Amino acid sequence: MKTQWEHPKTGKKKRCAGDLPYGWEQETDEKGQILYVDHINKRTTYFDPRQAFTVEDVVVKPKRYDGNTAALEILQGRDLSDKVVLITGGNSGIGFETAKSFALHGAHVILACRNLSLASKTVTAIQQEWHKARVEAMMCNLASLRSVREFAESFKAKKLPLHILICNAAVCTQPWSLTEDNLESTFQICHLGHFLLVQCLQDVLRRSAPARVVVVSSESHRFTDLLDSCGKVDLALLSPSRKDYWSMLAYNRAKLCNILFSNELNRRLSPHGVTCNALHPGNMMYTSIHRSWWLMTFLFTLARPFTKSMQQGAATTVYCAVAPELEGLGGMYFNNCFRCLPSIQAQDHSSAASLWELSERLVAERSVGIQAL
């Protein structure tokens, strides 16, 4: 207590540091107590003279963010000019704000989009905000496994590293439809397309380590189940027939897949320097994801004044992608930039492994030479 202490109210810590002042010497009295002798002024004291020159220990704590934080606030002062960021679904909504935030801080941003015309307008809009922004668009339709593979090959041909991969694209409240791969579209776009994308780019991610994968999920994952009576992930639930289809339930299941996929991906790739986390961006935000159902659009319009902005919605994605305190950490779920626990099933390792095996089988059956992670 004579050499370091903590203030009882402020919590500030101070300590004695360095050598004793000139002319002072530390000795021990007959009782074994330490005392200090000032030979110049011929005096003795039991108090360390260095207390007059204490050093304050400044503990730099990570800044705390919350639901009101904007993505640009998290990146304030950050130079990302050495980073390559790939974002799916960066044309609008949260994806656009995420892409813009990274690009305005120097990152090389690649938008993986199915609509190149709209993507080109997005690139122009970002570059109008900063003419030096490095952002480009590439064709990638998650509803087509062939398109995903072609995109991966085109990306690899650029010989770029990949430091941050953000699986953001999603659809919600869509009418029932099958993709060209004969799978229900919500399941394939939200989960299986991203699964194959990461599978195809995993070697690039490893070479770029430390790298991060960020999967945008939703709190709606809590209101569903994926298991059959045997405790296995059931394809009939993930890719239902028309008569068994309900759009919101399909979305909920796909979002549960996102978290299970994130956890299993982190388990497999974290030993190689690639971590993965999932997140919920915010409640009832007005994005184009609900454009297929007029009732949902109406409800979101009514709720718009009371919900997050798109910049705030992108904050948790950006936080998971760049937060220094998350370096090397993965397999977690975040909401409002805070770690929280997902549903019980989303934490189940056997469900994550079962979904991974099913996803591997689905892409293998629809392709030749796809290498499993």
Side-chain angles (χ1 to χ4, degrees):
M1 291 181 65
K2 293 180 179 179
T3 59
Q4 60 185 20
W5 61 92
E6 181 175 338
H7 193 282
K9 291 186 177 180
T10 66
K12 290 184 178 179
K13 295 181 179 180
K14 290 191 175 183
R15 59 184 171 84
C16 296
D19 297 328
L20 289 169
Y22 176 75
W24 286 81
E25 187 178 9
Q26 180 178 304
E27 296 182 359
T28 305
D29 65 11
E30 62 275 7
K31 295 181 180 181
Q33 287 186 303
I34 295 175
L35 55 84
Y36 300 90
V37 179
D38 180 358
H39 292 288
I40 296 176
N41 296 302
K42 308 298 181 183
R43 58 180 178 172
T44 301
T45 178
Y46 285 97
F47 291 96
D48 192 330
R50 292 174 296 179
Q51 290 184 14
F53 311 98
T54 53
V55 176
E56 182 175 334
D57 285 339
V58 179
V59 180
V60 180
K61 296 181 179 180
K63 186 175 179 181
R64 300 300 296 270
Y65 303 106
D66 56 30
N68 295 318
T69 304
L72 287 171
E73 289 181 56
I74 294 175
L75 292 175
Q76 187 173 11
R78 297 291 299 269
D79 179 11
L80 302 178
S81 57
D82 60 340
K83 302 296 183 184
V84 176
V85 182
L86 172 59
I87 305 174
T88 63
N91 279 343
S92 60
I94 296 170
F96 169 75
E97 293 297 336
T98 303
K100 181 180 74 172
S101 299
F102 283 125
L104 294 182
H105 283 80
H108 182 179
V109 178
I110 297 175
L111 308 177
C113 303
R114 63 180 178 84
N115 188 332
L116 278 183
S117 175
L118 183 57
S120 298
K121 294 179 182 178
T122 301
V123 170
T124 301
I126 295 174
Q127 290 176 336
Q128 283 176 345
E129 293 206 28
W130 187 40
H131 69 284
K132 292 184 178 180
R134 294 181 297 159
V135 56
E136 60 179 301
M138 296 177 64
M139 174 65 184
C140 181
N141 182 5
L142 294 170
S144 166
L145 299 182
R146 173 184 50 81
S147 175
V148 173
R149 292 186 214 103
E150 290 175 351
F151 166 82
E153 292 305 314
S154 298
F155 180 87
K156 289 179 180 179
K158 292 178 175 289
K159 305 296 182 183
L160 290 171
L162 181 56
H163 305 102
I164 300 171
L165 170 55
I166 299 176
C167 301
N168 168 80
V171 291
C172 179
T173 65
Q174 284 215 136
W176 182 87
S177 64
L178 292 178
T179 66
E180 66 180 49
D181 301 293
N182 201 36
L183 294 167
E184 193 278 314
S185 58
T186 303
F187 165 68
Q188 179 163 333
I189 294 170
C190 293
H191 167 66
L192 195 65
H194 285 124
F195 175 86
L196 178 58
L197 178 64
V198 175
Q199 210 177 30
C200 292
L201 296 178
Q202 59 121 350
D203 55 336
V204 183
L205 287 164
R206 287 186 182 191
R207 289 197 302 268
S208 308
R212 301 189 192 187
V213 179
V214 179
V215 182
V216 180
S217 182
S218 170
E219 278 291 279
S220 65
H221 81 275
R222 300 183 186 276
F223 310 114
T224 189
D225 192 12
L226 300 179
L227 305 181
D228 59 18
S229 57
C230 299
K232 293 288 186 179
V233 174
D234 189 356
L235 179 60
L237 295 177
L238 293 176
S239 183
S241 62
R242 185 191 296 269
K243 67 181 180 63
D244 296 323
Y245 178 76
W246 181 36
S247 59
M248 279 306 303
L249 188 56
Y251 178 75
N252 295 351
R253 287 169 175 163
K255 295 291 102 177
L256 177 54
C257 286
N258 289 157
I259 301 177
L260 292 171
F261 164 59
S262 173
N263 292 344
E264 183 67 8
L265 178 66
N266 183 76
R267 187 185 71 80
R268 290 169 179 254
L269 289 191
S270 57
H272 305 283
V274 182
T275 56
C276 185
N277 287 300
L279 65 100
H280 169 61
N283 296 324
M284 290 292 288
M285 285 183 295
Y286 190 90
T287 72
S288 60
I289 194 173
H290 48 74
R291 59 186 175 271
S292 299
W293 190 11
W294 70 268
L295 178 58
M296 189 65 71
T297 301
F298 176 70
L299 292 174
F300 273 63
T301 303
L302 292 178
R304 190 172 187 176
F306 312 102
T307 58
K308 288 184 177 183
S309 67
M310 291 300 100
Q311 257 292 308
Q312 292 170 328
T316 307
T317 303
V318 171
Y319 174 78
C320 290
V322 302
E325 58 268 27
L326 297 184
E327 189 64 53
L329 301 177
M332 297 180 287
Y333 176 69
F334 290 83
N335 185 1
N336 290 330
C337 300
F338 283 93
R339 182 186 180 184
C340 58
L341 290 178
S343 67
I344 297 299
Q345 186 173 341
Q347 301 174 55
D348 183 53
H349 299 301
S350 61
S351 294
S354 179
L355 175 65
W356 189 278
E357 293 170 3
L358 173 63
S359 301
E360 277 189 327
R361 177 165 57 83
L362 290 175
V363 297
E365 290 172 351
R366 289 158 176 80
S367 61
V368 178
I370 296 297
Q371 182 182 2
L373 288 180

